[in-house]
Each structure stands twice: as C-alpha cells, then as structure tokens.
C-alpha cells in the first residue's frame, strides 16, 4: 500500500476541556459555575485549536476567583490553589 492510501486523522487536542460536569451558567456573569467558561466558549470549544483553548484556560482562574462562593468547581488548579510540594 502506498502512503496515499491511508487516511490521515488529525492528532487529538493537547489542551483538554476544563469541564467538570457542573454545567450551570451564573446569571450575573454568564460564566459556568463549574469551569468558568462562557456559554459561547463552551459551545465552540471542540472547534477551537489548542492556542484558542489555552487562551480560554488562562482566563479561568481569575473568573473562578471572581465567582467566589458561587463557583462550585472542585478543580484546585482552575481555582489557582497552589499544589502542595
């Protein structure tokens, strides 16, 4: 078989979704109380490339802090909690 006979599949994304299955949008901000993404960011996540996904991820710790007690994320990395060493 020649190389042209094979189907090239795209490599899987390196930037994983921050979804933790707590899918509730905050009425005041429009951000998910679980992961901190906006509704449009959630809707377009699978179509985005790794750079776009990382740009969103970089904003999430600040959003989760702003959501404060309303946030229900259990992901300490998203909350910006330092990892014990």
């Amino acid at each position: 078989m020649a190389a042209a006979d094979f189907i090239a599949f795209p490599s899987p994304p390196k930037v994983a979704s921050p979804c933790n299955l707590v899918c509730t949008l905050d009425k005041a901000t429009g951000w998910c109380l679980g992961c901190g993404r906006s509704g449009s960011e959630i809707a377009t996540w699978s179509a985005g490339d790794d750079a776009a996904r990382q740009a969103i991820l970089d904003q999430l710790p600040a959003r989760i802090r702003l959501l404060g007690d309303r946030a229900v994320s259990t992901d300490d990395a998203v909350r910006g909690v330092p990892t014990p060493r």
Side-chain angles (χ1 to χ4, degrees):
M1 273 188 154
D5 294 335
F6 291 96
I7 298 172
F9 291 99
S11 57
K14 294 178 181 145
V15 179
S17 171
C19 180
N20 57 15
L21 303 178
V22 178
C23 304
T24 303
L25 296 182
D26 179 63
K27 290 179 184 177
T29 63
W31 299 332
C32 176
L33 295 175
C35 69
R37 293 178 294 168
S38 70
S40 63
E41 290 167 340
I42 293 167
T44 60
W45 184 265
S46 61
D49 61 15
D50 282 334
R53 291 176 180 191
Q54 188 61 54
I56 294 168
L57 284 182
D58 291 344
Q59 298 176 51
L60 300 185
R63 291 181 186 179
I64 294 295
R65 282 191 296 275
L66 287 171
L67 287 168
D69 292 339
R70 294 189 315 267
V72 291
S73 173
T74 57
D75 183 351
D76 286 345
V78 169
R79 287 182 180 272
V81 176
T83 303
R85 297 184 195 259

